[in-house]
Amino acid sequence: MAVKTHATIETGPGDLRKLESSASMELASKGLYGPLHDSRRNASSDSICDACIFCADTCGNPHCSSCSQKETRRSYPSDGAKPFPFVCDTSERSFTRCQLRRHCTEDSAWLLCGSTIYDATPFLKVHPGGVQSILRKSGGAADCTEDMAMHSRQANKKMKSKKVGKLVRCEREAVMHAAEDQCVIS
């Protein structure tokens, strides 16, 4: 049984640069990350677009045409349907792990507690454990539910006021899970 993807992107020889992990390299080689940025527009934009093609994740490069199209689709769906049909709950904002992973810096530090995402950026400078105690778990690097349990009621109340949204599953996770479950008999 072959795993079908929603889109295919061809990558030629030399189109892949060194990626952070072997899993990322495998995804890029299978075309599960976006195409190269158009290097004619910006000399520094010759990197691989690492945005997930299955969800609303964007790379942040203003010259990336595929991510610009996603932003347009998210803002102005042409057919009146939900911009990304796999994001199911429209009553609150929802984010995939692909989007969450981008929020792991001093400019934007999001923490995952269960399936709820909080913006911890305002607490970085005042946290008694220091900036790194938050940054090392930000971007979905770890579930912070147990960490929050040791904080005071007041700290939890402040954190809950910074709720960003809920974590939802990216279709890429379903595709990768299905690929792992395949049995190959030779």
Side-chain angles (χ1 to χ4, degrees), residues 34-94:
L36 287 175
H37 293 132
D38 186 354
S39 59
R40 292 172 294 180
R41 293 186 187 182
N42 183 346
S44 66
S45 66
D46 60 350
S47 62
I48 290 177
C49 173
D50 65 348
C52 176
I53 63 171
F54 295 106
C55 68
D57 180 40
T58 57
C59 67
N61 182 331
H63 301 291
C64 178
S65 60
S66 61
C67 290
S68 296
Q69 290 171 358
K70 276 188 186 183
E71 289 290 341
T72 302
R73 181 176 177 203
R74 183 177 15 207
S75 302
Y76 307 103
S78 59
D79 57 3
K82 285 196 293 188
F84 292 93
F86 41 82
V87 177
C88 50
D89 185 5
T90 57
S91 63
E92 69 179 323
R93 294 183 66 190
S94 53

Side-chain angles (χ1 to χ4, degrees), residues 51-155:
C52 176
I53 63 171
F54 295 106
C55 68
D57 180 40
T58 57
C59 67
N61 182 331
H63 301 291
C64 178
S65 60
S66 61
C67 290
S68 296
Q69 290 171 358
K70 276 188 186 183
E71 289 290 341
T72 302
R73 181 176 177 203
R74 183 177 15 207
S75 302
Y76 307 103
S78 59
D79 57 3
K82 285 196 293 188
F84 292 93
F86 41 82
V87 177
C88 50
D89 185 5
T90 57
S91 63
E92 69 179 323
R93 294 183 66 190
S94 53
F95 300 90
T96 63
R97 284 196 183 275
C98 306
Q99 294 170 296
L100 176 61
R101 71 184 168 103
R102 297 186 183 281
H103 298 275
C104 59
T105 66
E106 288 189 37
D107 295 326
S108 180
W110 289 5
L111 296 176
L112 179 63
C113 295
S115 63
T116 306
I117 301 169
Y118 298 99
D119 184 359
T121 311
F123 309 116
L124 288 173
K125 303 281 190 240
V126 297
H127 191 270
V131 173
Q132 288 304 314
S133 66
I134 295 176
L135 286 181
R136 85 170 150 258
K137 295 200 175 189
S138 66
D143 187 329
C144 298
T145 304
E146 289 183 22
D147 296 299
M148 290 311 298
M150 67 176 240
H151 286 78
S152 68
R153 246 186 274 182
Q154 183 181 10

